[in-house]
Amino acid sequence: MTESNQPAPQPEEPTSVPTSAGQTDSGAREQGPSLPEPGQPDPLQGGSGQAGATHVPAGLGDVPASFTSAQPQVPSPDAGQTQLGGPGPGQQLPPSGSGQPHPLGLGATTAQFGAEQPAGPPSSPFAGPQGPQTGQYYLPPGFQPPPVPQRPKGRGKVVAGVAALVLIVGGLSGGLGGYLGYTFANDSSSVSSLDSPRPASQASNAPAGSVEDVANKLLPSVVQIQVTTRSGAGEGSGFIISGNGQIVTNNHVIEGAASGGDIKVVFQDGKTATAKILGRDPSSDIAVIQADGVSNLPVVQLGNSGDMKTGQAVVAIGSPFELSGTVTSGIVSSVNRPVSAGGDRNSQATVLNAIQTDAAINPGNSGGPLVNMQGQVVGINSAIYSPSQGQGQAGSVGIGFAIPMDQARRTIDEIVKSGKPKQTVLGVKVESTEQGAKISEITGGGAAEKAGLKAGDVITKFGDRRIDESDTLVAAVRSKAPGDKVTITLSDNRTVEATLDGVEVG
């Protein structure tokens, strides 16, 4: 009896394959053809009925009823019997269709092995003497795989020894390099920046006309102004115009102290002094204060703002956010810009004919100088534009305004000499229209009435300057001095000559 406990098949009477061979249980796989009856031609072999058509498992469960030519049959040592590499010859496969497991674990067999094949070892595991054979293919009985060549003894040790040697040599090299590097780093003969002598202090060699050159000239003459009142405290900037302590600033910086308060001046070298108001003009937002107990102070040089051109470089100096001695630079963004700054903001009297700049100007810069690249003061920083409407403090957005020095100089001179500056006036009240500035009211005995102007007239030009709104006319008048003559053009193309008046303020 074999391992399957079935009678061993006789060589001369092969067991016929059941009609169900090759079928699956579910019908999901194809039905294979049946083997021919003994003595009938094998349709797969194409021969004359030779027994031996073989149908073997593929190792994945039930197998197809035929095998491909790519897997030739290996001759069996015993006719009608196939050795499976078991304990000895004569070991038999289970009968076909028995459902017994294949001895090699390839599933149930579905065909009986045929007659003995011609003897002769195959030239290769996949070809017989006649070329590829049909039927199943198994390893020959007692087949042993060729021995794997063994590495020569001692080779691994030699390689390991070489690797160890390399590591040792590498370790020695690294240690030697580290030692040499440490020795070199600590060698007194090596170059070190710390051993170089400190260079001697050098005097400034800033090129003339540079921002650094301008800053060097102006910083000693710029001061910080601190004001303390009963209602609070504030701060701004100013610049020295006389060695005995006369300082120019904005009216809105010190106006809190006009009705009682303290003013302290902080100089660039850190020294301080108390100060008092000499005079102020709310309409032009200009004031002059006098520092106490000082002398021989460095003074600024006043320039000509009428020469300023759009695009010209400028420098702003002051104490933004209490940061004294701050220097910023930029250009002149525009000239003759009508701006309301300081004083009574509900009155057109506070409108300035300002220089616009993109040099950073922030709270605390007010009253500080705007300087050209020759180091001459051409304006007084007075206002900034900020879109912020919140409770926070406004900051620079690159749109700052300065009072032109040509306009400020006259006011400063009047304050120093008499303490009573004069405001330039035309003697009208105006409002904006699409054509220009419309006169709504005439001051009796004023310059406008004397020139023949009437209420309802629309001014379109003031001298050579086009008037597009009321603030533009006010700014244009402020740019002149009392006694100046000017030609005024009206919307009906009439022109009149007017001599401007001056009214004391302050």
Side-chain angles (χ1 to χ4, degrees):
M1 297 296 289
T2 65
E3 292 178 356
S4 61
N5 295 324
Q6 298 294 329
Q10 299 300 321
E12 65 276 7
E13 296 181 1
T15 304
S16 54
V17 179
T19 59
S20 62
Q23 288 183 323
T24 65
D25 294 336
S26 63
R29 285 172 285 185
E30 296 181 357
Q31 179 178 352
S34 302
L35 290 177
E37 295 294 333
Q40 297 300 321
D42 187 341
L44 296 177
Q45 293 287 344
S48 58
Q50 176 185 359
T54 310
H55 309 278
V56 299
L60 299 174
D62 292 339
V63 299
S66 61
F67 208 70
T68 62
S69 61
Q71 297 180 336
Q73 181 175 346
V74 179
S76 174
D78 299 325
Q81 295 181 351
T82 302
Q83 185 173 1
L84 302 177
Q91 187 176 9
Q92 299 176 347
L93 293 174
S96 62
S98 64
Q100 298 296 321
H102 194 287
L104 290 183
L106 302 179
T109 60
T110 56
Q112 185 176 9
F113 288 88
E116 180 180 0
Q117 298 297 320
S123 59
S124 71
F126 297 97
Q130 308 298 327
Q133 301 294 322
T134 61
Q136 70 178 8
Y137 168 73
Y138 292 109
L139 296 176
F143 174 83
Q144 297 293 331
V148 178
Q150 298 181 356
R151 293 184 299 177
K153 294 183 178 180
R155 178 178 178 84
K157 295 181 179 180
V158 172
V159 174
V162 172
L165 179 60
V166 172
L167 292 175
I168 292 173
V169 172
L172 290 176
S173 300
L176 180 59
Y179 173 75
L180 292 177
Y182 174 81
T183 302
F184 180 78
N186 288 274
D187 189 353
S188 60
S189 63
S190 63
V191 178
S192 173
S193 298
L194 298 176
D195 296 332
S196 301
R198 185 189 302 272
S201 299
Q202 298 180 356
S204 174
N205 56 353
S210 65
V211 174
E212 181 183 357
D213 180 51
V214 173
N216 289 337
K217 290 179 180 178
L218 269 294
L219 277 172
S221 302
V222 179
V223 301
Q224 181 183 22
I225 300 174
Q226 300 174 351
V227 179
T228 304
T229 66
R230 291 187 296 270
S231 59
E235 57 92 24
S237 304
F239 54 91
I240 303 169
I241 61 170
S242 71
N244 64 355
Q246 293 176 349
I247 299 169
V248 174
T249 187
N250 283 141
N251 176 71
H252 72 261
V253 171
I254 54 86
E255 66 180 343
S259 57
D262 297 326
I263 301 175
K264 182 172 73 173
V265 176
V266 181
F267 297 96
Q268 187 65 26
D269 59 5
K271 295 179 180 179
T272 62
T274 59
K276 61 179 179 290
I277 299 174
L278 286 182
R280 61 193 186 94
D281 180 7
S283 63
S284 62
D285 198 24
I286 295 174
V288 179
I289 61 175
Q290 174 69 60
D292 299 325
V294 296
S295 61
N296 298 320
L297 299 177
V299 300
V300 301
Q301 181 182 1
L302 302 180
N304 184 358
S305 61
D307 293 338
M308 301 301 294
K309 301 293 188 294
T310 300
Q312 186 172 340
V314 289
V315 173
I317 305 176
S319 304
F321 300 108
E322 301 183 8
L323 301 173
S324 61
T326 296
V327 177
T328 58
S329 64
I331 62 169
V332 174
S333 302
S334 182
V335 295
N336 299 324
R337 182 76 75 186
V339 175
S340 177
D344 183 2
R345 300 183 183 276
N346 296 321
S347 171
Q348 289 178 329
T350 62
V351 174
L352 307 175
N353 190 50
I355 298 171
Q356 180 181 330
T357 180
D358 68 347
I361 298 175
N362 288 285
N365 272 112
S366 292
L370 184 69
V371 187
N372 62 20
M373 303 314 291
Q374 287 73 47
Q376 301 166 342
V377 177
V378 294
I380 305 172
N381 300 321
S382 181
I384 62 173
Y385 169 78
S386 178
S388 175
Q389 300 297 326
Q391 299 299 320
Q393 196 169 26
S396 173
V397 293
I399 304 177
F401 304 98
I403 304 168
M405 183 49 61
D406 290 353
Q407 176 182 336
R409 185 168 189 161
R410 176 183 58 81
T411 303
I412 295 170
D413 186 57
E414 292 173 345
I415 291 174
V416 170
K417 290 180 177 179
S418 65
K420 295 184 180 294
K422 290 183 179 181
Q423 181 185 71
T424 305
V425 295
L426 179 59
V428 296
K429 287 186 178 180
V430 292
E431 58 187 28
S432 297
T433 67
E434 292 181 359
Q435 293 177 301
K438 180 180 177 180
I439 299 175
S440 60
E441 184 178 334
I442 296 286
T443 302
E449 185 180 55
K450 293 176 182 179
L453 295 175
K454 297 179 174 61
D457 288 340
V458 178
I459 299 175
T460 58
K461 290 184 69 175
F462 185 84
D464 295 331
R465 183 171 179 177
R466 185 175 68 89
I467 304 302
D468 56 356
E469 63 176 359
S470 59
D471 281 356
T472 305
L473 178 62
V474 174
V477 172
R478 294 284 180 267
S479 67
K480 301 296 183 177
D484 287 348
K485 296 182 182 297
V486 63
T487 300
I488 298 174
T489 304
L490 303 178
S491 59
D492 58 4
N493 293 324
R494 289 185 299 122
T495 61
V496 298
E497 292 286 334
T499 301
L500 301 176
D501 292 331
V503 178
E504 288 188 358
V505 294

